[in-house]
Amino acid sequence: MQPPQARRGRSSLPTSFRGVTDRHFDGHRIDTGTHEAPRGTRGQRGQAVTEFALVLPVMLLILLLTVDFGRLFFSYIAVTNAAREATYHAALRAGDTSFDPQDYKDGVTAAAVRETNVQAQGGAGDLTVSDPTCYLQGSSTIIDCRAASNFAPGIGNQVTVSVTQPFTFLTPLISGVFGGSLTLSASATAPVLNPLDASIMAASAPIPTPTPTPAPTPTPTPAPTPTPAPTPTPAPGATPTPVPTPAPTPTPTPIPMCRVPNFYHTYWNDIGSLTVWRDQAGFTGTLTNAAGTHKIQGQTLVAGAMVLCTSNMTVRD
């Protein structure tokens, strides 16, 4: 028996199934599963592409604004830290024994630039550092920084340093609002250290313990002193026996003690560490530099402690 031939012409399937292609094989109809695509799919895809094209510029603008303001905040922190480092240098070096006004100003500028170089980023301009300005205690009277560090007259005097730096935005929109660039500025104030404070880097002194008041001791009633027997008078012509003189007790020699300087957060060549160690603190031991040209982050002796002047110490980064 031969298989029936496939029917030709229009399909007799319902209208809702006209998108399905049916075929016959060996007397059985096979549904191939081929359907027409919904009419709304292509329109939805085109709408999504249009919406994405409209939203993309706004999203990119928001991203650039976030990056720009993040860079601005980072640069402001760098300028603030530079002002603090410059002020610390100015407060510390005003009491140097070999004080030179020009070297003093150059050192303040170098301290600020060194701090910004550590935190440098693109978009920041050249750093401008003002000359250190010292003020009399509790007033706005400007005085010489060297005179402000002279012990009692210098206690409470302050020094101020200001730092400015231009900043350029990456986003043209923000750059146009601020006229191309924005100037960041920061200032810091610190008390001027006198030579003694500078020698120990303002080491924290131990808190003195109050001396307890002793309770009154009752006075004992003295016992009657016995009357000594009279010394017999030697017979004439007799030689008295000499009484030996006791040897004097030697006075103990005091051991020299020195206060340990505080070298934390300083540089070896910046503060003249050996001068502070030997001439100002009075140590005769060895001071070893294990920090090189880096900032000192530790030392083997506790800052402010009283130790033997013959002690040795090592500073490290």
Side-chain angles (χ1 to χ4, degrees), residues 236-254:
T239 303
T241 303
V243 178
T245 304
T249 303
T251 303
T253 303

Side-chain angles (χ1 to χ4, degrees), residues 30-275:
I30 301 175
D31 186 0
T32 59
T34 305
H35 297 271
E36 293 181 356
R39 296 182 179 180
T41 304
R42 297 181 180 178
Q44 291 177 356
R45 292 178 180 176
Q47 181 181 356
V49 172
T50 304
E51 292 175 352
F52 180 75
L54 293 175
V55 175
L56 181 61
V58 179
M59 296 178 60
L60 291 178
L61 179 60
I62 295 175
L63 178 61
L64 291 177
L65 290 177
T66 304
V67 173
D68 256 349
F69 279 102
R71 293 174 57 251
L72 176 63
F73 183 69
F74 184 87
S75 296
Y76 177 75
I77 293 177
V79 171
T80 302
N81 290 341
R84 292 174 179 175
E85 286 294 327
T87 304
Y88 172 75
H89 181 92
L92 179 67
R93 299 304 294 270
D96 283 356
T97 304
S98 56
F99 180 85
D100 181 75
Q102 188 60 42
D103 291 344
Y104 178 64
K105 297 177 182 178
D106 293 343
V108 170
T109 302
V113 173
R114 181 169 54 245
E115 181 66 21
T116 53
N117 287 341
V118 174
Q119 305 179 3
Q121 68 163 343
D126 295 333
L127 195 72
T128 302
V129 184
S130 67
D131 292 338
T133 305
C134 296
Y135 298 93
L136 194 62
Q137 176 186 5
S139 67
S140 58
T141 304
I142 299 177
I143 58 176
D144 180 71
C145 290
R146 178 60 176 171
S149 66
N150 287 335
F151 288 94
I155 296 178
N157 296 335
Q158 294 182 330
V159 57
T160 300
V161 178
S162 300
V163 176
T164 59
Q165 186 179 39
F167 176 82
T168 303
F169 290 95
L170 293 178
T171 308
L173 179 61
I174 305 180
S175 180
V177 172
F178 290 97
S181 64
L182 178 66
T183 301
L184 303 177
S185 61
S187 62
T189 302
V192 180
L193 303 180
N194 59 45
L196 180 59
D197 292 333
S199 65
I200 61 176
M201 310 325 159
S204 56
I207 301 176
T209 304
T211 304
T213 304
T217 304
T219 304
T221 303
T225 304
T227 303
T231 304
T233 304
T239 303
T241 303
V243 178
T245 304
T249 303
T251 303
T253 303
I255 301 175
M257 304 291 288
C258 297
R259 187 180 297 277
V260 179
N262 182 7
F263 292 103
Y264 284 92
H265 305 298
T266 61
Y267 294 87
W268 177 267
N269 295 326
D270 195 24
I271 63 171
S273 301
L274 289 178
T275 301

Side-chain angles (χ1 to χ4, degrees), residues 11-22 29 31 34-36:
S11 173
S12 61
L13 295 175
T15 306
S16 58
F17 292 93
R18 290 182 181 177
V20 179
T21 302
D22 54 319
R29 187 174 63 188
D31 186 0
T34 305
H35 297 271
E36 293 181 356

Side-chain angles (χ1 to χ4, degrees), residues 284-300:
T284 58
T286 303
L287 177 64
T288 304
N289 176 23
T293 58
H294 299 285
K295 182 181 288 187
I296 297 174
Q297 300 291 348
Q299 57 187 53
T300 55

